[in-house]
Amino acid sequence: MKTLNRILILAILFNVLLTSCHNDTPIGARVPVVKVYDKYLYQDDIEALVPEGTTPQDSALKVKNYVDVWVRKQLMIKKAELYLTDEQKDVERQLEDYRASLLIYKYKEKFLAENFDTTVTPNEIKDYYQQHQDDFKLQRNAVMAFFVKTPLESTDITSLKMLLDFRSEKDSIRLMDYIRDHSLTYDNFGSEWVSFSEAASKMPENIDENDDRVKSRRTITQADDQFMYLLKIRDFKAAGVLEPFEMAQHRVENVVQKSKMQKRLNQLEDELYENAVGNGNLEYYYTDKTKK
């Protein structure tokens, strides 16, 4: 199989060579496959492309795709070289800037891993939330809701609706007992605030966010041929108001953590600066050209 693969690959390369490089074949030990202006792709450049055990068909496709990509890349490079100015083609500074940025990024990453405590206390989260309320306004309506899906004929819908209006822990337990006894599908969304669109996605038909039943915290019912769907809106907050703390908590924690990380990195830069000055590794040379 390995021999067959090699033969097929060589045949493809030979065909490519015949169709793409009739003249100006360079003299030397390396066998060219294709030429684009003054750039050559050689057989030894692509011999290692095909892993052991690859079928002849896959080998042929892999080589052909590689050659096609290489040719197109060289054509684009040549076009860029002809079109761009010398200044635009000078990428040394950009490469050096990229290398410097990459080194700094990797060092900061390592430094924080070894020197930064990622812990954010509950008090830090709450304080930031209280002091930056304008940053945590709801973009969309939010609800606390309870969803139940029940077979049409096997449940007392009236009783279920009454249970969904639970007002105490005892009533909540009665609702869960009813759901368990009747093997109903339900979702309480973790008893947390969620976007209205997330809660409404459980229903078979779309519900307008401005539906009065949403704002008035009622139970919305829909049905298909087999099931009744009930979505009880237990609480509601309109877009534009302060996002509930429970809903924003994880985002606030991330913001606080990033803020603390940046503060630690700023301290690092200050320490490096002071050490460089103290050790004589930093000097400023000023030339006052305003003097006559």
Side-chain angles (χ1 to χ4, degrees):
M1 179 64 72
K2 182 177 181 180
T3 302
L4 182 59
N5 283 352
R6 179 172 289 275
I7 291 173
L8 184 56
I9 293 170
L10 292 177
I12 294 170
L13 299 183
F14 182 70
N15 287 333
V16 173
L17 176 60
L18 287 179
T19 57
S20 305
C21 187
H22 293 295
N23 301 310
D24 301 324
T25 302
I27 299 174
R30 303 182 74 188
V31 179
V33 175
V34 61
K35 174 188 174 185
V36 178
Y37 292 95
D38 58 345
K39 301 295 183 182
Y40 289 87
L41 179 67
Y42 294 95
Q43 178 180 315
D44 54 88
D45 291 328
I46 59 180
E47 283 181 336
L49 283 176
V50 182
E52 182 77 19
T54 306
T55 65
Q57 294 81 4
D58 289 343
S59 300
L61 182 61
K62 193 174 186 70
V63 170
K64 179 182 181 303
N65 288 341
Y66 182 87
V67 171
D68 287 345
V69 170
W70 185 89
V71 167
R72 292 172 181 273
K73 180 180 179 181
Q74 300 309 314
L75 290 171
M76 286 297 294
I77 292 173
K78 187 64 175 180
K79 183 65 175 178
E81 289 176 343
L82 293 172
Y83 182 77
L84 298 176
T85 65
D86 290 340
E87 183 179 358
Q88 291 170 327
K89 287 187 288 187
D90 184 7
V91 297
E92 292 299 324
R93 182 172 179 179
Q94 291 95 316
L95 291 175
E96 182 59 30
D97 288 344
Y98 174 75
R99 178 180 180 274
S101 297
L102 186 60
L103 286 174
I104 292 172
Y105 172 79
K106 287 183 173 293
Y107 172 66
K108 286 181 176 180
E109 192 175 47
K110 182 177 176 63
F111 173 82
L112 289 173
E114 296 176 351
N115 299 276
F116 180 72
D117 182 4
T118 60
T119 303
V120 178
T121 67
N123 285 338
E124 287 177 318
I125 298 173
K126 290 180 180 178
D127 288 345
Y128 190 93
Y129 172 78
Q130 292 293 338
Q131 294 168 13
H132 299 82
Q133 293 188 10
D134 288 341
D135 296 336
F136 298 99
K137 296 295 179 67
L138 282 172
Q139 300 299 310
R140 303 192 65 179
N141 294 343
V143 295
M144 294 189 74
F146 202 108
F147 167 79
V148 179
K149 175 182 175 182
T150 173
L152 284 173
E153 305 300 333
S154 62
T155 308
D156 183 347
I157 301 299
T158 301
S159 297
L160 182 55
K161 282 185 176 181
M162 292 177 61
L163 289 170
L164 282 169
D165 287 327
F166 62 88
R167 310 219 183 277
S168 65
E169 183 176 351
K170 183 177 179 180
D171 292 337
S172 175
I173 293 173
R174 289 178 58 202
L175 171 63
M176 296 308 300
D177 287 342
Y178 186 93
I179 288 173
R180 184 185 62 251
D181 292 343
H182 292 80
S183 301
L184 305 183
T185 300
Y186 79 99
D187 192 344
N188 68 349
F189 306 98
S191 298
E192 298 177 351
W193 287 93
V194 296
S195 67
F196 172 73
S197 59
E198 179 180 345
S201 67
K202 296 286 185 179
M203 304 293 278
E205 300 175 10
N206 291 332
I207 305 172
D208 191 328
E209 289 202 8
N210 296 316
D211 192 310
D212 288 338
R213 292 173 297 177
V214 178
K215 297 179 179 180
S216 58
R217 299 166 178 77
R218 290 158 56 189
T219 299
I220 301 171
T221 60
Q222 293 179 359
D224 55 25
D225 294 340
Q226 295 180 295
F227 299 98
M228 174 72 75
Y229 304 81
L230 300 93
L231 182 65
K232 170 62 181 180
I233 307 300
R234 300 200 54 78
D235 206 347
F236 169 83
K237 287 187 179 295
V241 304
L242 179 64
E243 185 175 356
F245 175 74
E246 298 80 7
M247 196 175 184
Q249 184 172 355
H250 292 303
R251 291 199 349 270
V252 177
E253 182 177 359
N254 289 335
V255 171
V256 173
Q257 188 178 78
K258 288 180 180 178
S259 176
K260 293 176 68 175
M261 289 170 59
Q262 188 57 54
K263 182 178 179 180
R264 184 64 187 94
L265 290 174
N266 291 342
Q267 290 174 348
L268 170 64
E269 291 183 0
D270 290 341
E271 292 167 5
L272 293 175
Y273 182 89
E274 292 170 3
N275 288 338
V277 172
N279 295 328
N281 294 321
L282 173 62
E283 296 181 54
Y284 289 103
Y285 299 94
Y286 291 100
T287 301
D288 191 347
K289 296 183 179 180
T290 61
K291 292 182 178 180
K292 297 183 179 180

